[in-house]
Amino acid sequence: MIEFWQWFFDFWLNVSPERIVRLFWYFFLLEVPRYLLFDLVVVILFMLKRLWNSSSYQAANSQLFVENPLISIIVPAKNEGKHIPKLVESLTEQTYQNYQLIIIDDGSDDNTPLICRKLEQEGKIDLFLRNEERGGKASAANLGLRFAKGKYIVHLDADTSFDRDAIEKILTPFYTDPDIGAVGGNVKVRNAKEAVIAGFQAVEYLQTITMGRMVASYLGIYKIVSGAFGAFRKDLLDRVGGWDIGPGLDGDITVKIRKMGYRIVFEPRSVSLTNVPTSIKKLTNQRFRWSRSLIRFRLRKHADIFVPDQNFQFSNFFSSLENLFYNVVLDALWFYYVIRLVVQNPDIIFLMIVMKMFLYGMSNFVQVILVCLMSERGRQEIKLLMYIPFMSIYDGYYLRIVRTVAYFREWLTSSSYNDAWNPSKSSVQAKEHRL
Amino acid sequence: MIPGGKKIQNAGGFEIFLIADYQDQDIRNFALADALVLDWQQPDHTTALLKKIRSSFIESIYLLPVFIFNADGIVGDTERALSDGELSVVQEEPIVKVIRQVKKRREDFTPHETNSSENRILTKLFRYMYTRDKALSPEVDVMAHMGYEYPLIRLHYPAGESMEMLKILRRGTDNDFFQGTFVDKTHICPSCHSGHLNLREVCTQCASAHISSENLIHHFVCAYMGPEGDFMTKQGLVCPKCNRQLRHIGVDYDKPSVIYRCHDCRHEFQEPDITALCLNCKTLTPVENLKEIVLDKYVLTDLGRDAARTGIKVEGEEREFTIPGFVNFGTFLTFLRFEIERIKVSGKESQMGSVSLNLPARLRSNRQQFERVVLDISDFIRNNTDSSDILSFASDNTFFMIFPEKGDTAVATMLNDFRNSIEKLLVNTFENEPEWNLTAQFETLNADTEYTALINQVKTI
């Protein structure tokens, strides 16, 4: 062991910086600028802007309470009965209280209807709608939308809970700019301690949601209002006819609102907590689904974003381009890079893997420290640093492989149309009409 | 001979009468008959007479075999339950068969006297069932308070006392006199126990029944979901989101649920509440709070048949209710017989008076309170009568008095005073319960008075 480390340090201390950059060009040229330097700069600018706009933000917040609009919280759920009482409790604690809570049960076959009907009778749920036959998440959300009476729609997942001011915070941006069509809430992991894999996801969420979306929002290319926690102007949802068949329906509806020319912003101060998968199998299935939707929606359904016609918008173009470039193109490039590395430097491949873990670890470390400095619960989140040394395995290998497999399968076989996440009656129609 | 009755000749020599004329029929006349055939030409009168016969407490009357001669009409369930059968032609054979059976069974009976009205009713019931091998079944009756009746028991309870009626049946089963088998279940108003309920789906918010429902449609291709009305156009069903026509259920769309809308408060909901409006007392009750009643069919057990033969003897049930200065009813009847004999010899006139409280069973159920009231009334009666007057209290209901040679006018005035005073006492005791029917009457005893007829009359009071 000692000999290995001696070899490791002797090797890297004697290698010229130029060769290190050549060996790790992927990291230094693509990942450091985008995920470290760029983030650092943008986060600083984001915070400065927030400081600069604090008085107008306060005014918007006051305006929200002066107008006190009715909002509709819609929660599509299937077999989520056990989460509903907690969700209801979390909502009754909110600082913003003028809401109508609509739960839509999409064909649950457990005790969800019993639990929800009881809560409805107790007046804790304003409207409980149930489909005896499962119709899919989009149809459930659309049913909720049809009976929603609020000015804004807050879409939640049933297993999500909220900071006391989360609803207030997600609504306030609407009063800062009339062109804002939707606001994405910050989603963090509640069950990070339940499993190691959940801990990795907790770090990932901080990086890709809290940090990643903050940056995207600042740049005007924010493209997914999370289904777990997002707010929309109801008139816009009505105009686009609500959600289309998923998976990836939250990204799809965000693009549809962007196409109408409205701004989409992320509000990191509006915090929700959600449970993430605690087994590799469930996580892999979830990520297959998420990744497939990128091909299906960005490349197929909304391919017109790349066409320079009269509806062309640079922000939408860059939003999708960035998404495709960093996920699809760079994933392909990464495989090319790894294969080339293995072929050209088979003798030092192990040294390179350890070095790579070190470099990514440093990068992730800085990023997470940055997030924790801004976070409202930084003291708890700083403990997640223990996952950093191994993040590159989770993020750099596991997730990248899952993603790439999903892209290829979707590209070649349109596998998303066979996903049991949607009932087959809907998938058949979606496939037939190439939706 | 029975006035208005036509004797039916038969080989057995039994006294069987066909009654077609119901004018002024007195059931006391039936005590010596062996069987009656009631003509169904005047159904209301037939029913009334049948009920009168079966509600009597005189054994020879209430156990009388009674048939309904019904050439072309339809006999109701109640009449069927109270009679021994329907005849489309007057035949001797079935009537005689019942007569013989009833007579034979009655030979097993030993005399039974009781102070308890419940025991009296039960014994009567058992004897009726025993003589006929009859079961006690609940009958659907739209005129009945509860919607179901046990016709034979109902005769002794006013409408609205369904729970008392069921209580006596429960007592029968609790003491193993009856064996019950399930027939049906019904739901009644928890407030007035009426079974006449209007069940309505109502708004979950304002409880209005003014609601309507609509199917929800799910359009598969675009995931739009909304009420059927959203899709209705002149061209048929067209999706308001994607403008496609919905052609084929199960392929293009389905109807996974319904939505209700309240036309009063505009509330929308999927599962309406169901409330029952009691058509009797107008109380609104959620269905889950309605009182559930199990209706059993009862047959006599061995113990029940014993009780039919000897009368009910349940330890602790029948406590002697002694009132100072009052004789028990048996003794009273003996005094009455002596008094009739005496005035026949002396040629003078005496009076026998009675005051019936007719309190509903509900008011008698608080035994302590009831006995206190009875003692108060008896104190009053004793203090306002002469020491030569004979007083008695029977059946938890009626005060009997013999007034030797007092004169009709004096007795009428006295009874009138009694009734007024007792009424005041009852009003004070049972506030807000004005449900009694106090009656006071008297009979003049003279040389023409027949002891047997009088005794029968006394027992029916």
Side-chain angles (χ1 to χ4, degrees):
Chain A
M1 193 65 178
I2 296 166
E3 284 166 12
F4 169 78
W5 288 113
Q6 209 161 13
W7 179 42
F8 179 82
F9 285 112
D10 282 351
F11 180 84
W12 289 115
L13 290 172
N14 292 320
V15 174
S16 68
E18 192 192 327
R19 194 176 173 211
I20 292 180
V21 172
R22 251 202 343 264
L23 282 172
F24 294 103
W25 64 267
Y26 189 91
F27 175 75
F28 285 109
L29 291 180
L30 298 169
E31 304 216 354
V32 169
R34 168 66 182 89
Y35 293 114
L36 194 63
L37 298 177
F38 198 63
D39 281 7
L40 192 66
V41 172
V42 170
V43 164
I44 290 167
L45 290 173
F46 186 94
M47 299 308 282
L48 284 174
K49 190 178 172 189
R50 186 195 280 182
L51 206 64
W52 182 258
N53 291 333
S54 63
S55 59
S56 59
Y57 180 84
Q58 280 308 321
N61 187 263
S62 303
Q63 182 61 31
L64 167 70
F65 281 97
V66 168
E67 190 185 317
N68 197 35
L70 174 73
I71 64 157
S72 299
I73 299 176
I74 62 174
V75 189
K78 178 173 188 279
N79 294 346
E80 301 271 13
K82 59 181 183 293
H83 297 302
I84 303 292
K86 274 188 200 160
L87 171 76
V88 168
E89 194 186 0
S90 160
L91 288 174
T92 51
E93 284 293 299
Q94 287 298 310
T95 51
Y96 192 82
Q97 280 294 316
N98 193 17
Y99 63 81
Q100 170 201 26
L101 177 59
I102 304 175
I103 309 267
I104 311 101
D105 175 12
D106 193 24
S108 290
D109 49 17
D110 63 356
N111 60 355
T112 300
L114 287 177
I115 294 170
C116 291
R117 290 273 178 235
K118 187 166 175 285
L119 289 168
E120 191 187 26
Q121 278 168 5
E122 290 168 0
K124 291 176 179 169
I125 293 175
D126 296 291
L127 179 57
F128 175 67
L129 297 166
R130 169 169 163 77
N131 291 328
E132 295 296 331
E133 283 274 320
R134 185 164 82 99
K137 193 170 182 178
S139 67
N142 286 337
L143 182 61
L145 176 64
R146 173 61 181 75
F147 291 100
K149 293 187 168 69
K151 183 178 178 185
Y152 299 102
I153 303 290
V154 176
H155 182 289
L156 308 178
D157 278 352
D159 62 348
T160 314
S161 56
F162 305 89
D163 280 6
R164 290 189 71 247
D165 56 358
I167 300 289
E168 172 192 337
K169 289 274 162 58
I170 206 168
L171 293 171
T172 303
F174 288 112
Y175 290 83
T176 60
D177 179 356
D179 283 339
I180 291 176
V183 181
N186 199 352
V187 183
K188 296 185 175 188
V189 174
R190 183 171 46 210
N191 59 339
K193 289 178 184 164
E194 265 180 38
V196 174
I197 197 76
F200 282 122
Q201 290 172 83
V203 179
E204 182 202 358
Y205 274 49
L206 286 181
Q207 292 176 309
T208 59
I209 295 182
T210 306
M211 176 73 91
R213 290 183 182 177
M214 198 191 298
V215 172
S217 179
Y218 184 82
L219 297 175
I221 57 170
Y222 174 40
K223 58 202 171 294
I224 297 179
V225 171
S226 171
F229 186 29
F232 303 84
R233 269 174 48 176
K234 179 167 188 287
D235 57 335
L236 300 184
L237 288 182
D238 286 338
R239 271 174 64 188
V240 297
W243 287 266
D244 289 349
I245 298 172
L249 65 167
D250 37 6
D252 175 60
I253 199 153
T254 314
V255 172
K256 289 202 303 189
I257 294 171
R258 286 189 69 101
K259 279 180 170 177
M260 288 197 294
Y262 288 92
R263 286 179 61 207
I264 313 288
V265 295
F266 177 70
E267 178 48 85
R269 287 168 288 190
S270 176
V271 179
S272 66
L273 300 178
T274 191
N275 283 335
V276 293
T278 50
S279 76
I280 296 273
K281 193 180 169 195
K282 281 185 184 163
L283 178 65
T284 306
N285 282 334
Q286 183 197 55
R287 295 314 166 95
F288 272 153
R289 196 168 62 241
W290 288 6
S291 304
R292 282 196 292 253
S293 65
L294 188 131
I295 301 292
R296 179 161 155 183
F297 289 105
R298 308 246 173 243
L299 269 184
R300 291 198 187 118
K301 187 174 173 185
H302 296 294
D304 58 336
I305 275 179
F306 300 105
V307 180
D309 58 11
Q310 66 254 44
N311 293 325
F312 183 81
Q313 289 174 45
F314 271 109
S315 60
N316 288 347
F317 173 77
F318 282 119
S319 164
S320 281
L321 189 69
E322 188 263 358
N323 196 204
L324 288 170
F325 182 73
Y326 274 91
N327 287 290
V328 183
V329 178
L330 288 196
D331 269 6
L333 200 61
W334 182 83
F335 278 100
Y336 163 74
Y337 161 73
V338 168
I339 292 165
R340 194 158 166 252
L341 216 57
V342 171
V343 172
Q344 288 183 346
N345 307 285
D347 49 333
I348 56 162
I349 193 70
F350 192 59
L351 287 180
M352 286 197 60
I353 289 172
V354 177
M355 185 61 179
K356 186 170 167 288
M357 281 174 72
F358 173 74
L359 290 173
Y360 274 95
M362 291 303 290
S363 161
N364 285 328
F365 183 80
V366 174
Q367 210 180 25
V368 172
I369 290 280
L370 202 60
V371 177
C372 290
L373 283 175
M374 295 185 306
S375 173
E376 71 295 330
R377 35 169 75 73
R379 277 170 188 273
Q380 293 146 34
E381 286 164 350
I382 202 84
K383 291 174 189 157
L384 295 171
L385 284 175
M386 67 189 205
Y387 292 98
I388 294 296
F390 308 98
M391 260 323 265
S392 64
I393 296 172
Y394 169 77
D395 199 8
Y397 298 101
Y398 165 69
L399 284 187
R400 203 188 296 272
I401 291 167
V402 168
R403 241 181 359 240
T404 311
V405 170
Y407 295 152
F408 271 97
R409 283 175 59 189
E410 180 63 22
W411 181 40
L412 297 173
T413 66
S414 296
S415 57
S416 67
Y417 293 106
N418 303 323
D419 195 330
W421 193 76
N422 273 325
S424 60
K425 62 188 180 188
S426 298
S427 293
V428 166
Q429 293 282 333
K431 192 171 185 179
E432 192 183 320
H433 292 87
R434 304 304 294 168
L435 292 171
Chain B
M1 195 61 199
I2 293 171
K6 190 179 147 197
K7 187 165 179 183
I8 299 169
Q9 297 303 324
N10 59 89
F14 293 113
E15 296 284 313
I16 305 170
F17 294 94
L18 173 69
I19 310 282
D21 178 8
Y22 294 94
Q23 203 68 39
D24 301 325
Q25 278 296 351
D26 187 342
I27 59 164
R28 284 177 290 188
N29 296 328
F30 303 152
L32 297 172
D34 289 315
L36 296 180
V37 178
L38 306 183
D39 194 333
W40 188 247
Q41 288 300 316
Q42 295 170 280
D44 290 349
H45 287 100
T46 313
T47 307
L49 187 62
L50 188 56
K51 283 185 175 174
K52 236 175 174 177
I53 292 168
R54 296 301 185 219
S55 56
S56 166
F57 276 96
I58 302 167
E59 207 173 277
S60 56
I61 295 178
Y62 74 76
L63 287 181
L64 190 66
V66 181
F67 291 82
I68 294 176
F69 172 52
N70 171 33
D72 45 22
I74 300 165
V75 175
D77 291 334
T78 303
E79 290 77 12
R80 199 167 288 128
L82 293 178
S83 69
D84 289 285
E86 274 178 86
L87 303 171
S88 51
V89 284
V90 180
Q91 291 169 292
E92 182 188 330
E93 195 187 333
I95 303 173
V96 170
K97 196 178 160 195
V98 175
I99 292 172
R100 284 190 205 284
Q101 179 175 334
V102 171
K103 275 186 182 297
K104 191 167 185 308
R105 295 284 170 92
R106 282 186 65 186
E107 285 168 11
D108 301 340
F109 295 163
T110 54
H112 177 254
E113 285 296 336
T114 174
N115 283 330
S116 152
S117 58
E118 255 190 27
N119 282 353
R120 223 167 139 220
I121 293 169
L122 275 177
T123 305
K124 178 187 158 182
L125 200 60
F126 295 164
R127 291 192 162 176
Y128 182 80
M129 292 166 77
Y130 177 75
T131 49
R132 269 92 176 155
D133 291 324
K134 225 175 182 177
L136 204 61
S137 300
E139 305 289 348
V140 174
D141 182 351
V142 287
M143 305 302 283
H145 187 66
M146 207 171 68
Y148 278 89
E149 287 293 28
Y150 289 93
L152 211 57
I153 310 180
R154 161 60 63 218
L155 299 172
H156 302 290
Y157 291 92
E161 287 205 1
S162 304
M163 298 318 286
E164 296 300 328
M165 186 175 84
L166 294 171
K167 209 163 88 184
I168 200 169
L169 286 170
R170 198 163 52 241
R171 216 192 115 201
T173 27
D174 288 349
N175 289 298
D176 293 329
F177 295 133
F178 285 139
Q179 191 186 1
T181 48
F182 178 84
V183 175
D184 203 355
K185 245 180 215 176
T186 188
H187 290 86
I188 59 171
C189 168
S191 170
C192 73
H193 303 146
S194 167
H196 298 269
L197 302 170
N198 177 13
L199 296 178
R200 306 99 38 85
E201 288 184 328
V202 296
C203 172
T204 53
Q205 193 160 282
C206 70
S208 163
H210 192 197
I211 60 174
S212 60
S213 67
E214 200 175 0
N215 282 317
L216 290 175
I217 288 185
H218 170 206
H219 188 210
F220 299 155
V221 72
C222 70
Y224 183 82
M225 264 202 86
E228 202 163 357
D230 290 4
F231 293 80
M232 290 285 194
T233 67
K234 282 179 184 167
Q235 286 73 43
L237 294 176
V238 175
C239 177
K241 177 176 171 181
C242 67
N243 262 333
R244 289 184 178 91
Q245 191 142 25
L246 278 61
R247 295 182 192 283
H248 202 123
I249 193 161
V251 177
D252 298 336
Y253 68 100
D254 64 3
K255 295 177 177 178
S257 54
V258 292
I259 189 88
Y260 285 81
R261 211 169 269 125
C262 175
H263 299 290
D264 285 343
C265 74
R266 317 304 302 167
H267 184 51
E268 287 167 319
F269 50 95
Q270 270 194 313
E271 207 160 85
D273 287 341
I274 301 175
T275 58
L277 169 69
C278 176
L279 300 177
N280 183 53
C281 70
K282 312 283 186 294
T283 306
L284 277 172
T285 312
V287 276
E288 60 272 19
N289 295 345
L290 288 176
K291 200 171 170 63
E292 185 184 277
I293 301 291
V294 174
L295 299 153
D296 281 348
K297 174 181 174 179
Y298 298 94
V299 290
L300 284 180
T301 59
D302 287 344
L303 212 60
R305 279 188 284 275
D306 280 346
R309 286 187 282 262
T310 61
I312 296 179
K313 288 193 179 68
V314 181
E315 218 172 308
E317 282 284 348
E318 205 172 329
R319 194 164 55 81
E320 189 70 23
F321 183 26
T322 50
I323 304 172
F326 280 58
V327 298
N328 73 36
F329 193 55
T331 314
F332 178 83
L333 293 178
T334 312
F335 273 113
L336 184 61
R337 188 154 55 88
F338 283 146
E339 183 62 14
I340 292 167
E341 294 302 322
R342 192 183 67 81
I343 57 170
K344 275 186 180 166
V345 175
S346 66
K348 303 219 165 134
E349 283 188 348
S350 289
Q351 287 75 29
M352 190 207 71
S354 64
V355 179
S356 296
L357 301 175
N358 296 321
L359 288 178
R362 185 163 28 84
L363 298 184
R364 291 196 308 263
S365 58
N366 182 346
R367 202 63 204 168
Q368 244 185 338
Q369 186 191 36
F370 173 70
E371 287 186 5
R372 206 168 51 239
V373 171
V374 170
L375 285 173
D376 285 350
I377 297 171
S378 25
D379 277 352
F380 174 78
I381 293 175
R382 199 178 49 247
N383 293 335
N384 290 284
T385 47
D386 298 329
S387 54
S388 58
D389 298 339
I390 312 291
L391 310 173
S392 182
F393 179 65
S395 307
D396 269 2
N397 185 43
T398 308
F399 292 93
F400 289 101
M401 294 145 260
I402 299 171
F403 301 112
E405 299 175 25
K406 194 156 263 177
D408 287 356
T409 321
V411 169
T413 314
M414 189 183 274
L415 287 179
N416 200 32
D417 288 349
F418 284 178
R419 198 180 55 205
N420 292 338
S421 302
I422 292 169
E423 198 160 68
K424 277 181 197 156
L425 184 75
L426 293 177
V427 170
N428 288 337
T429 312
F430 305 112
E431 283 174 28
N432 308 319
E433 291 277 8
E435 286 181 34
W436 55 77
N437 176 25
L438 207 57
T439 54
Q441 59 191 36
F442 73 93
E443 284 280 326
T444 307
L445 311 176
N446 53 32
D448 299 332
T449 306
E450 269 189 43
Y451 173 71
T452 320
L454 185 64
I455 293 292
N456 285 339
Q457 189 187 334
V458 166
K459 283 184 174 175
T460 54
I461 288 174

